[in-house]
Amino acid sequence: MQTVKMVITGPFNSGKTSFIGSVSEIPVVRTERKITDETRNVKNQTTVAMDFGRITIDKDLALYLFGTPGQKRFDFMWEILSEGMLGFVVLIDSSRPETFREARRILDTFRSYSNTPFVIAANKQDDEDAWPADDLKIALGLDSNVRVLPCVATSKESVKNILLELLYVILETAPEEPAPARKR
Amino acid sequence: MAIKGNLRDVGLNQLLNLIYLAHKTGALAIENEASRADARLYFKEGKLIQAALDGKAPRLTEIMVRVGKLTPEQAKAIHARSRVDTDKELGLLLIQNGILNQQDIIQGVKNYLLEAVYQIFTWRSGNFRFDPNLLPPDERITVAVTLDHLIIEGTRRVQEWEHLKDELPDLDVPLKFAERPDLNLRNVSLSVEQWKVVSFINSRNTIRQIASFLKIDEFQIRRIVYGLQTAGLVDVLPSPVAASAPRATAPVPSAPVGRSLITRVIDRLRSL
């Protein structure tokens, strides 16, 4: 069976685990352990390695979703995870502007690995403090051609929409395939 | 007079046993024949007091980072702030600033020494030389580790190594994710090392290539893959393609994906 992968990245507590969990057909495999640093106050447990989900496309193909580690000290994993990915999603908690700078740093780091297609997901749009996707785009100083999409990571439909948008971007850059040889 | 030989003929457990029983003081230098890695172990009156792998005895802060007592950022900050030269002064600084206590430092150095020696236990051949009465430089912190338990644990690990080699004899094969719909993954918890390996699993990368890229030795990669296999997460693929392909030092990047494949993924996602 052939496998392809997408990477879901973003700052700590931006919703990566929920995002993958919303569409994965297997329970998201994750490693979690008690955290002992300054992020302690944000949530009681956090992802220290990464999340991993799967969507079976057909009998010959599966899509794997890899969530990157939430905290800075695990950023050595990013390049490893980005190897061979189809594209990536940068998930941002739109209600926490204090994380926007970190999101931009993550985006720049991933773009430096390769020119793989990506989209930005402005998550937690159901929060009344959430910045609109268009404002987020300006705040992040992104080019006009970058797609910044509203997202609610706990909603399957919303996550589906983000992944489809990413796939459309990937499709735009995918190489043309040679036409099959004609039979005589 | 120096004692010389090859690990093929005299195993590390025998050498350590000799040093332990004869209460020897001196330095044991070993060069791994397979990987060309080298190690230098220092002993005082039959106890291990320092270890240096690949020609370098790490500074105290490096050791503390390796054993998880300090973060790399803390280590960097300490070096930037202080002008101390010796590990003893560095240790004092760490204690005075309340970053670590004496027990943390002793235990950390001890753990580092043990792991270094356990690593050498997996070396099957290589020239060694024991120079009596040679001691490490004064500026480094030394912690005395008794050899009896170390020899027993090292020997156990050698047996584990042999077992892992039996279970996973060929590293020039790729891995694949297991297809077991009945598998309950909810309770599966993986280490960071296991995740690193998982992220490289595809039909193009052999286990050896993954290990080489991640700088994991053969013992560790066998242990990790065996753990993933036992948990039912991965299967080993017997691949004639991988076996006959020239061995790259890094995993092979995925080939460009065609439009028809992307369209299949899009169609599937739409139907979710």
Side-chain angles (χ1 to χ4, degrees), chain A residues 10-27:
Chain A
F12 172 72
N13 208 22
S14 58
K16 299 181 287 295
T17 306
S18 304
F19 186 97
I20 296 173
S22 289
V23 287
S24 176
E25 65 199 16
I26 57 169

Side-chain angles (χ1 to χ4, degrees), chain A residues 105-133:
Chain A
R105 185 182 79 86
I106 293 171
L107 171 63
D108 290 342
T109 307
F110 269 84
R111 288 175 89 176
S112 73
Y113 300 144
S114 65
N115 59 352
T116 312
F118 68 94
V119 294
I120 311 284
N123 191 27
K124 306 194 187 177
Q125 287 293 315
D126 52 345
D127 187 315
E128 60 177 17
D129 292 332
W131 286 40

Side-chain angles (χ1 to χ4, degrees), chain A residues 8-14 16 68-70 78 89-92 102-103 106 110:
Chain A
I8 316 301
T9 186
F12 172 72
N13 208 22
S14 58
K16 299 181 287 295
T68 60
W78 296 352
V89 176
V90 181
L91 203 61
I92 302 173
E102 170 69 356
I106 293 171
F110 269 84

